Amino acid sequence: MATRLKEDIGEREGEEGEGSSRGDKREDCVSEVRGIVGRIGRRFEIANTDSRGAYLAQVIIAVIYCLFAAGIVFGYAALKPVLIREKVYRDLCTQDEIDRGSRTCYAQELHLNLMFTVAAVGTNVAALPIGAILDTFGPRVCGVIGSFLLAIGAVLFAFAWQLPFDGYIPGYLFLALAGPFVFISSFQLSNAFPKHSGLILALLTGAFDSSSAIFLVYRILYQWSDGTFWPKKFFLAYLVVPVFILVVQLFIMPKASYKTVGELVKEVEDADDVLEDQVGENTALLREERRQHRQSVVSEITDLLGSKSGAKYFKQEEHKNKISGVWGAMHNKTVMQQVTSPWFILITLFTMIQMTRINFFVATIRPQYEYILGSYQKAVEINTFFDVALPLGGILSIPFIGLVLDNTSTTFVLSALVTIATTIGILGCLPYTWAAYANVSIFVLYRPFYYTTVSDFAAKVFGFRTFGTVYGLIICLAGLFNFSQSGLDALLHKVFDGNPIPVNLILLAIALTVGSMLCVYVGVRSYQMKREVLEIEAEHTTETVMPGAKSPDRL
């Protein structure tokens, strides 16, 4: 089909070459269109069996390396016991604490948790530059950068005990920074199979959530080997992962991001518009032929890629947007107007406090339950359950999150978030084993629901035109606020003598206050927006006389 369009363009060039100046313009125009059609023609290779196999291989490879690299730092709760047994930062403890046989001390806990805090902050702050690099240089460059960062992190962690400086914190930070580079750059692969884009994104997201289990597997191997498979051996063996990512990025993965069906169709329409601007008097027949060609291109793209018809797609999107109640609230505003609005301020404050609560719980789950349950052994059992449940919760919650976000209002979703977060806070203060297991079970399902809701809120309220900037700023500010976790550690160990309940109650009260303010504001504004829409519709409604009824003029 692309060849047929090229031939017709050549014929039109000969028929319409009137004058040297006009001929030059037509030649430039046709060259431009040929380039566009050529790119689209190459993209049509997806119909070819071999090409489809290549695209499928790329998706499978991306899922594999995301499973091993995208979010491994969030398995910190499983790695921490290994580091404690290896006496990492044990030299920071006082002689009195060592003589008393304390499993950990305040300074050791503080530095271990700081390692995770810095990594969590780095992951979130990196969202801003990674988006710019991806848009400018493409997914291959992002993947290569990610592989080098992952290798640097693994080497630093492997030899940290021999280095003249603290290699654990920068090593863990590099492991964290590598994750978004390889994960975010993989999203565009969903465009290779638009009919199954949702499934591909679900697989990538599931791989990200499951990657936290890497350190759980390592901890099991470490315990099975009775400590002989120590961190240096593990992280040197782990270098296979960045090498694999580098090789596949250079030889298998795409250099440029795959485009959506809409972008492909837009290229065809732009090509048509270029010719339209240059054609002179005899255009009637040519317009009709181009219109037929454009329809043929759109039809073939739709058939080959399995996409839904535009009308059906837009109806579904319009229905979902109407259900949300907040769609378009700030779409036509500037970035400055958006980030200074109550919409942005409230969702950012809520994200800051919730992200800090989540990461604080991940970093301190074992000492928290050791104090609350009064048993180190029970705390270990809860920690082990958490290590297994965290990746599983991310996978199991994926389909339900989509259903909730697509079929309920944003006010309902935010209210559910606040309610669940409050429930988690209450369960985290109860000195019962059943409450601990219930808390962990709800937490691992809540975490992906919360993160997805924030991005969904940003897209619906602020729009995709400024989504990268606004959402990136929300996550960046929330990440920076995570440094307050060191202060929470100080409160936990110094002020409250290891008792986590006061800290949990403080966080619960702040989250409930900010969350309630957010829900009330969104609910009120959603109601006002609906009223405004109804008023506009009423203003533009014309009077219609029912059949058989007399008009007011005849009464």
Side-chain angles (χ1 to χ4, degrees):
M1 183 204 65
T3 303
R4 186 171 68 250
L5 185 53
K6 290 178 183 179
E7 292 174 353
D8 288 351
I9 291 172
E11 294 175 4
R12 293 170 195 163
E13 179 186 7
E15 294 171 0
E16 299 177 14
E18 301 175 1
S20 59
S21 176
R22 179 168 177 164
D24 292 341
K25 290 182 180 179
R26 289 284 297 157
E27 180 63 35
D28 293 341
C29 169
V30 172
S31 297
E32 182 178 353
V33 175
R34 281 174 172 165
I36 295 172
V37 172
R39 290 195 298 272
I40 297 173
R42 287 191 294 274
R43 183 67 179 88
F44 278 168
E45 289 177 358
I46 194 169
N48 182 275
T49 302
D50 295 335
S51 296
R52 290 180 69 88
Y55 292 136
L56 181 60
Q58 290 173 350
V59 172
I60 294 174
I61 289 171
V63 171
I64 291 174
Y65 65 60
C66 283
L67 178 63
F68 283 91
I72 59 170
V73 294
F74 293 103
Y76 169 77
L79 179 65
K80 186 178 179 180
V82 175
L83 299 179
I84 292 174
R85 183 172 172 180
E86 288 294 321
K87 302 185 184 305
V88 175
Y89 295 127
R90 184 69 174 174
D91 58 305
L92 299 176
C93 297
T94 64
Q95 188 60 45
D96 180 59
E97 290 170 326
I98 294 175
D99 292 340
R100 284 190 282 110
S102 301
R103 276 184 293 274
T104 60
C105 64
Y106 166 69
Q108 184 181 18
E109 280 282 348
L110 186 65
H111 277 74
L112 286 172
N113 292 343
L114 180 63
M115 181 180 75
F116 174 70
T117 300
V118 170
V121 171
T123 300
N124 296 316
V125 173
L128 280 174
I130 289 174
I133 294 172
L134 178 61
D135 293 341
T136 306
F137 301 104
R140 176 173 292 175
V141 172
C142 280
V144 170
I145 293 174
S147 67
F148 277 102
L149 292 175
L150 200 64
I152 293 172
V155 170
L156 283 174
F157 224 91
F159 295 98
W161 64 285
Q162 293 176 293
L163 297 175
F165 58 90
D166 183 359
Y168 291 107
I169 291 178
Y172 211 67
L173 174 61
F174 278 110
L175 291 176
L177 292 175
F181 272 101
V182 299
F183 179 57
I184 295 176
S185 62
S186 301
F187 286 168
Q188 49 85 26
L189 292 174
S190 64
N191 295 329
F193 299 95
K195 187 177 181 180
H196 306 290
S197 60
L199 174 61
I200 294 172
L201 289 175
L203 288 172
L204 292 171
T205 305
F208 172 83
D209 289 322
S210 300
S211 63
S212 61
I214 297 299
F215 286 148
L216 171 61
V217 174
Y218 167 58
R219 194 186 74 190
I220 294 172
L221 293 174
Y222 176 84
Q223 293 172 340
W224 176 77
S225 67
D226 197 24
T228 57
F229 190 48
W230 62 308
K232 181 178 181 179
K233 291 183 178 180
F234 169 76
F235 282 100
L236 287 179
Y238 183 76
L239 286 172
V240 173
V241 177
V243 170
F244 171 75
I245 294 174
L246 178 63
V247 171
V248 297
Q249 288 292 343
L250 293 177
F251 298 104
I252 300 178
M253 304 306 286
K255 181 179 181 181
S257 297
Y258 291 143
K259 296 179 179 179
T260 63
V261 176
E263 290 171 330
L264 290 173
V265 174
K266 183 69 164 54
E267 287 197 22
V268 179
E269 293 175 341
D270 288 345
D272 186 62
D273 291 340
V274 171
L275 279 176
E276 189 70 32
D277 292 339
Q278 300 296 330
V279 175
E281 299 86 2
N282 305 318
T283 59
L285 181 58
L286 293 176
R287 285 199 191 99
E288 180 60 28
E289 291 177 356
R290 283 197 302 276
R291 189 178 299 110
Q292 292 176 359
H293 278 299
R294 182 178 63 187
Q295 291 173 349
S296 177
V297 171
V298 174
S299 177
E300 288 202 33
I301 292 175
T302 302
D303 291 341
L304 291 174
L305 302 185
S307 178
K308 300 174 183 177
S309 67
K312 184 177 180 181
Y313 173 81
F314 285 118
K315 282 183 179 179
Q316 291 180 344
E317 288 300 305
E318 186 178 2
H319 178 66
K320 288 193 294 184
N321 297 340
K322 187 175 181 181
I323 289 175
S324 74
V326 299
W327 174 266
M330 298 291 290
H331 282 201
N332 297 322
K333 305 296 183 181
T334 64
V335 172
M336 184 56 66
Q337 290 173 322
Q338 290 179 342
V339 299
T340 55
S341 67
W343 294 98
F344 178 85
I345 294 172
L346 289 173
I347 191 64
T348 301
L349 289 174
F350 185 66
T351 305
M352 289 165 65
I353 186 65
Q354 287 302 107
M355 188 180 291
T356 301
R357 288 183 69 192
I358 289 172
N359 290 334
F360 179 69
F361 183 74
V362 171
T364 61
I365 180 173
R366 182 174 292 191
Q368 278 201 44
Y369 278 112
E370 182 178 358
Y371 185 96
I372 293 174
L373 299 179
S375 169
Y376 175 74
Q377 188 58 41
K378 288 184 178 180
V380 171
E381 292 174 1
I382 297 297
N383 197 158
T384 303
F385 175 71
F386 175 79
D387 294 336
V388 176
L390 185 63
L392 287 179
I395 297 173
L396 295 175
S397 63
I398 289 173
F400 302 103
I401 292 173
L403 288 174
V404 172
L405 294 178
D406 290 342
N407 296 283
T408 60
S409 68
T410 301
T411 304
F412 173 84
V413 172
L414 293 174
S415 300
L417 276 183
V418 175
T419 302
I420 297 172
T422 303
T423 303
I424 290 173
I426 295 173
L427 289 173
C429 298
L430 300 179
Y432 306 109
T433 303
W434 66 264
Y437 280 103
N439 187 28
V440 170
S441 300
I442 297 174
F443 177 88
V444 298
L445 295 174
Y446 172 82
R447 180 172 170 267
F449 179 39
Y450 154 75
Y451 280 115
T452 308
T453 298
V454 174
S455 61
D456 181 73
F457 179 93
K460 288 176 178 176
V461 173
F462 303 108
F464 288 102
R465 181 176 58 87
T466 58
F467 177 81
T469 302
V470 175
Y471 178 69
L473 187 57
I474 292 172
I475 298 301
C476 180
L477 292 174
L480 291 173
F481 188 74
N482 265 249
F483 277 122
S484 64
Q485 188 175 319
S486 296
L488 296 176
D489 283 330
L491 284 176
L492 175 63
H493 294 285
K494 289 293 185 182
V495 178
F496 299 118
D497 197 26
N499 183 0
I501 295 178
V503 178
N504 289 339
L505 289 176
I506 292 172
L507 293 174
L508 170 60
I510 297 174
L512 182 59
T513 302
V514 175
S516 299
M517 292 170 59
L518 175 62
C519 291
V520 170
Y521 178 79
V522 172
V524 171
R525 287 294 296 126
S526 177
Y527 174 76
Q528 292 174 345
M529 288 171 63
K530 290 179 181 178
R531 286 293 302 270
E532 290 169 2
V533 171
L534 291 175
E535 289 174 0
I536 293 174
E537 290 177 351
E539 289 177 0
H540 292 83
T541 300
T542 57
E543 184 178 308
T544 303
V545 180
M546 295 179 61
K550 294 182 179 181
S551 65
D553 296 336
R554 296 175 59 188
L555 294 176

